[in-house]
Amino acid sequence: MKSKRLLAVMLSGFMVLGSMTPVFAEEVKNENTNDNAVVSEEQQGTDINNSEEVNDNKETVITDKYEQDKTSEDVKAEENTSSNEPSKTVKSSSKTSKAVVTGQFDEATGIKFSYDEDTKEATLTNSDNFDPDGKGIVNFTIPSKVKVAGGSEEYVVTKLGAGLFSSGGMGNIEEITVPKTIEMIDMMALGEGAKLKTIKFEEGSQLKTIASYAFSANMVLENMDPIPKSVETIGEQAFSLCIYLSPFSFEEGSNLKSIGEYAFESVGAASSQEFKELVIPKSVTSVGSQAFSGVANVEKVIFEEGSNLDTISPSMFYQCPKLKDVVFAKSMNLKTIGNAAFGKTAITDIKIPNSVETIGRGAFVECSELASCTFEEMSKVKTIDVSAFQKCVKLKEIVIPKSVETLGGFKGCTSLADITFQAGSKLKTISNQAFMESGIKGIKLPKSVETIGTLAFYDCKDLAIIDTEEGSALTSTASDMISGCENLKTFRITNPNFINNCNNLGKVNDRYDSAKIDGFTIIAHKGSDASKSSLYQYYENNTDGSWVFKTEGVCHGPDEVPSTKVEPTCANAGSITYSAGTCACGNEVSDEVTLEIPATGNHTFDKTVVDKTATCSEKGKEHKICSVCNDIDYDSYKDIDMIPHIFDKTVVDKAATCAEEGSKHVECSVCNTKKENSDETIGVIPHKFDKEVVDKEATYTEEGSKHTECSVCGTKKEGSDVVIQKLVKKDESNNNNNNGDSTSNGSTVTNTGSDKTSVNNPQTSDEMNMVLYVLLGLVSLGAVGTVGYKIKKRNI
């Protein structure tokens, strides 16, 4: 066994020697490499010098060339100076004057163009030479760049000139693409395409202006990409007579500002395609009259939220037969709905924004499906003009805002039975024919009304009563105001100064000899026996014996009965009681009379409603309401300022340890906003010295050592080093005398009890180790000698 181990050790020694040789051989090889490196550096130095010489020569050549060019330019300058001939092309230094070259033909398409020498921008001007080979181009992309035949300069096409493809110039083109470089399409530039069905705009279009008639009279055009968002102006009749184009739209994010008159008039009139909705961009500020009139298939019009349009122009959507729904933007500051703006459409209901001040003549004329018309609270509308809602035959009721001063426009509304005026009405004038031929059954005129026009209630067959509020300002009416009101039974006038000039009052029609209405009643001031009121005189002169004249609720004594007055509010009428006595008209009244005091309509907006509570991160919202009737003041909506932050929350950014400081800051407990300059340092915490670490294990021959350190950071506790006593060997033979506690001589260790007994022979082991040490030493000496010899030999 020993011999085998010895053999193994010797073999290991030879292997060590064998492995050493390549190491030193590598070192020799490196020496050769260094020698080569020296040579390479010397050669490199030569190359660098040569390179510098070449560079010097190159600079010389360049300098010479510069001098030659400069000399040449000087010669040319002298030649130009001495020449009497002007330059062929002279560019102006002025920004307002440009050198424009006309009459050029594009090499690729044959289209005629002009270009600006300063900007290198081109305008396509004529298509006479387009498709010279008669290939019958069907799909055509307008060139974004053009150049003259044989030339190298390219010009960017930014404008399509007037009449570019007019008069049949498109030939067989069915689809045309407008490149993104185009900024303007001039009059009739892409109009009159006999076969043109599709128009496309290249993505990223820079188009700003579509001029008048630009696409007009494309009689078979069916499809068009959304009008690019870059477009700012669309001229009058730009798309007129495109009778099959349906639908059309504007690209989202449109910057469109102006739409000209008749721009889309009758577009799609011959199409059967669905056209669900048309969105008018919020950027639009001006739309010409009849801009969308006759657009046949559009069903819904939406004014984009944030709309800047303040006027619906005259006839803007007139005769759009399928238009059922109009949605005004909530934030829209619309002031005027123009004459015939939505006339002859299929609108079913409409809500007028409270910003509107004028509803023009015929604005909703002949909207035969209109069943509901309402006004937003706090409406500012002042004028509902003549025929505004004429022949809206399904409209059954309407509430007139108190802001209205002039009222007309319900002629021919045969289903309109109920009309109500908001309390506190400011109405002054009821226009000619305002309710002519309507289905109105009764009306109580606001006390503010001063004038009622001719034929205002003409031929209202169901009208049974005309009443006026207490304190009415009405002093007279047109002579034929109620002509043909054959069922008018009651006429009540509260103004003691009323002068009657209505000759057909109480008669079936306006003929002088017309039959009288049976049981006709007049409630008015009577006057004194010496000075009878105008209405009482009319009664006396025209009664057929069935007529009735009353003063109840009209005539009253001069004195108020104490403590009987009930003040009216914005929503509710009040009352007042007068004692018996002589009325202002001269009539003697024998009893107390209680009269109604009309509701004021004057809200007291002194109650605040919070719609959204303000926080330290977001503004709130609030508005005012009337403390009496809870009506909303729609002009009172406003923001509530943000509240201060509540900086009562401490946040630890980095926890402190016994080795490192920590950090913390203060933030708002509501929104977590960090308080400025609130960063603080957290001091280090005490060490936790509860970890025992053995530095050196004790053996039977040597003592060990240990210390205490922090279990968190590993810092050693000062003065914590402790000696570990040497191990004590146990001897079985001494077990009975000293219980195995005596010191062993180190030759034998015996484990007693249930442990197995282990006997070691260190002498045998030590002898084997000695042999190995000797052999390794000899091998090492031999290797060193060999290497030394090789090195010495190489040096020789």
Side-chain angles (χ1 to χ4, degrees), residues 456-740:
F457 297 97
Y458 176 82
D459 211 19
C460 291
K461 302 296 185 184
D462 296 323
L463 182 61
I465 181 172
I466 294 176
D467 192 4
T468 58
E469 283 183 339
E470 183 65 30
S472 172
L474 187 65
T475 58
S476 66
T477 63
S479 60
D480 53 0
M481 175 188 79
I482 55 174
S483 183
C485 297
E486 58 190 38
N487 289 306
L488 182 63
K489 295 287 186 178
T490 303
F491 188 71
R492 182 176 183 271
I493 295 293
T494 61
N495 190 331
N497 301 313
F498 182 82
I499 304 298
N500 180 59
N501 58 1
C502 187
N503 294 323
N504 56 1
L505 188 65
K507 299 179 181 180
V508 173
N509 55 47
D510 57 351
R511 296 195 305 274
Y512 182 79
D513 59 348
S514 175
K516 294 180 174 61
I517 298 171
D518 186 48
F520 180 66
T521 299
I522 298 175
I523 304 172
H525 287 273
K526 184 178 180 180
S528 66
D529 290 339
S531 180
K532 298 175 182 179
S533 70
S534 175
L535 278 172
Y536 188 70
Q537 291 180 50
Y538 180 82
Y539 161 75
E540 286 186 321
N541 294 333
N542 290 279
T543 182
D544 61 355
S546 69
W547 285 19
V548 177
F549 191 95
K550 295 181 179 181
T551 63
E552 289 86 349
V554 176
C555 286
H556 59 82
D559 299 321
E560 178 185 340
V561 177
S563 303
T564 61
K565 186 175 183 181
V566 177
E567 294 291 346
T569 67
C570 50
N572 301 313
S575 63
I576 186 170
T577 301
Y578 292 96
S579 62
T582 303
C583 181
C585 69
N587 183 36
E588 291 294 329
V589 180
S590 58
D591 298 315
E592 289 183 350
V593 175
T594 299
L595 302 179
E596 181 184 271
I597 305 175
T600 65
N602 299 321
H603 296 286
T604 305
F605 293 121
D606 57 356
K607 186 176 178 181
T608 300
V609 175
V610 175
D611 304 296
K612 180 182 177 183
T613 303
T615 68
C616 46
S617 60
E618 287 186 301
K619 289 183 177 181
K621 283 203 176 284
E622 67 179 18
H623 67 276
K624 298 284 187 179
I625 64 172
C626 177
S627 57
V628 177
C629 67
N630 291 329
D631 272 3
I632 298 172
D633 180 2
Y634 285 89
D635 292 328
S636 69
Y637 281 94
K638 67 176 184 178
D639 292 333
I640 305 173
D641 291 336
M642 291 188 296
I643 61 174
H645 292 290
I646 302 174
F647 290 119
D648 59 355
K649 180 181 176 183
T650 300
V651 178
V652 175
D653 302 301
K654 179 182 178 183
T657 67
C658 47
E660 287 185 300
E661 292 180 334
S663 61
K664 63 182 179 179
H665 69 270
V666 177
E667 63 183 40
C668 176
S669 58
V670 177
C671 67
N672 298 327
T673 296
K674 183 179 178 180
K675 183 179 180 181
E676 291 185 4
N677 303 318
S678 67
D679 291 303
E680 289 186 30
T681 299
I682 304 173
V684 294
I685 60 176
H687 291 292
K688 188 176 181 182
F689 291 120
D690 58 354
K691 181 180 179 183
E692 190 175 79
V693 179
V694 175
D695 302 302
K696 180 180 179 183
E697 295 284 351
T699 66
Y700 297 115
T701 59
E702 292 183 359
E703 293 177 334
S705 63
K706 62 182 180 179
H707 69 271
T708 301
E709 62 183 40
C710 177
S711 60
V712 177
C713 67
T715 297
K716 182 178 178 180
K717 182 179 181 181
E718 293 183 5
S720 66
D721 290 305
V722 176
V723 173
I724 305 174
Q725 297 298 321
K726 290 188 288 184
L727 296 179
V728 178
K729 295 185 180 181
K730 296 180 181 180
D731 191 339
E732 188 177 19
S733 62
N734 295 330
N735 201 30
N736 293 329
N737 297 326
N738 56 15
N739 295 321

Side-chain angles (χ1 to χ4, degrees), residues 402-439:
K402 65 180 182 181
S403 56
V404 174
E405 297 177 1
T406 301
L407 178 64
F410 294 94
K411 176 183 177 181
C413 294
T414 54
S415 297
L416 182 60
D418 298 317
I419 182 165
T420 305
F421 298 91
Q422 282 185 340
S425 175
K426 299 176 182 177
L427 182 64
K428 289 181 171 58
T429 301
I430 295 178
S431 304
N432 297 344
Q433 303 182 17
F435 296 97
M436 180 178 177
E437 298 173 348
S438 70

